[in-house]
Amino acid sequence: MLLRPTTPDDLAWVLALEADPEAAAFIVRWSEDEHRSAIAADDQAHIIIEQHGQITGFALLAGLLDRNQAIELRRIVVSPVGHGLGRAALSLLIDHAFNELAGHRLWLDVKVANERARLAYQRAGFVREGVLRDALLTNGSFESLIVMSMLRQERPA
Ligand SMILES: CC(C)(COP(=O)(O)OP(=O)(O)OC[C@H]1O[C@@H](n2cnc3c(N)ncnc32)[C@H](O)[C@@H]1OP(=O)(O)O)[C@@H](O)C(=O)NCCC(=O)NCCS
């Protein structure tokens, strides 16, 4: 598996990954323009996850210029789910955030209902910090978000 920067040519894949029913309920889907802006932004990394030359997912890191060195794992989507791709991709993303981007804190939020992602993050070494109650309004319903993080000194060896 490898990570590489997303290009505009990849965006059809990215939009299809976001539309997949396995992902759509758990993320805030973006328009193509929003993804283009993220690709162009200095403080974000829009990343394609590839295995055997095939796109198997994408991820978004934000806060690359944050003065507190706090990098947000804003999104990760892999396909197919439940076959170890997430575990492998998270390991590469953690390595990238701490070693290449010099992060001190890597953090994320995840919907309470997204048990698979919560467990995947926990397995990867993220620590639960707390709950942002009713932080997200989706189709007229409020959802709570769990905040998780990993500090530089906690990254897996
Ligand atoms: C979250 C996501 C990246 C995890 O990747 P994945 O490839 O599905 O997960 P893996 O197969 O690598 O499994 C990693 C861990 O997740 C947990 N997990 C996997 N499938 C699970 C399931 N069906 N139910 C509960 N936990 C599950 C397990 O703890 C597993 O660790 P283990 O195999 O050592 O027990 C992936 O499921 C995904 O893209 N989901 C849709 C989008 C999404 O929810 N993104 C996160 C938004 S915050």
Side-chain angles (χ1 to χ4, degrees), residues 9-108:
D9 289 345
D10 298 316
L11 287 180
W13 281 101
V14 169
L15 295 174
L17 284 162
E18 284 193 337
D20 187 320
E22 293 282 6
F26 299 122
I27 57 166
V28 178
R29 284 169 66 184
W30 275 1
S31 67
E32 185 168 336
D33 278 351
E34 286 173 303
H35 282 289
R36 280 183 193 277
S37 299
I39 289 172
D42 287 345
D43 66 340
Q44 296 184 49
H46 202 302
I47 293 167
I48 289 289
I49 301 161
E50 261 188 24
Q51 196 172 44
H52 308 308
Q54 301 277 334
I55 296 176
T56 54
F58 79 97
L60 281 164
L61 297 175
L64 272 51
L65 303 177
D66 181 66
R67 64 181 297 278
N68 303 304
Q69 296 168 247
I71 295 176
E72 177 188 1
L73 174 53
R74 185 164 282 178
R75 193 163 309 166
I76 176 171
V77 178
V78 301
S79 180
V81 299
H83 289 85
L85 291 172
R87 191 180 334 154
L90 283 169
S91 169
L92 292 177
L93 287 162
I94 289 165
D95 192 60
H96 187 63
F98 288 115
N99 294 333
E100 280 157 67
L101 302 176
H104 174 72
R105 165 185 162 84
L106 180 61
W107 70 277
L108 58 89

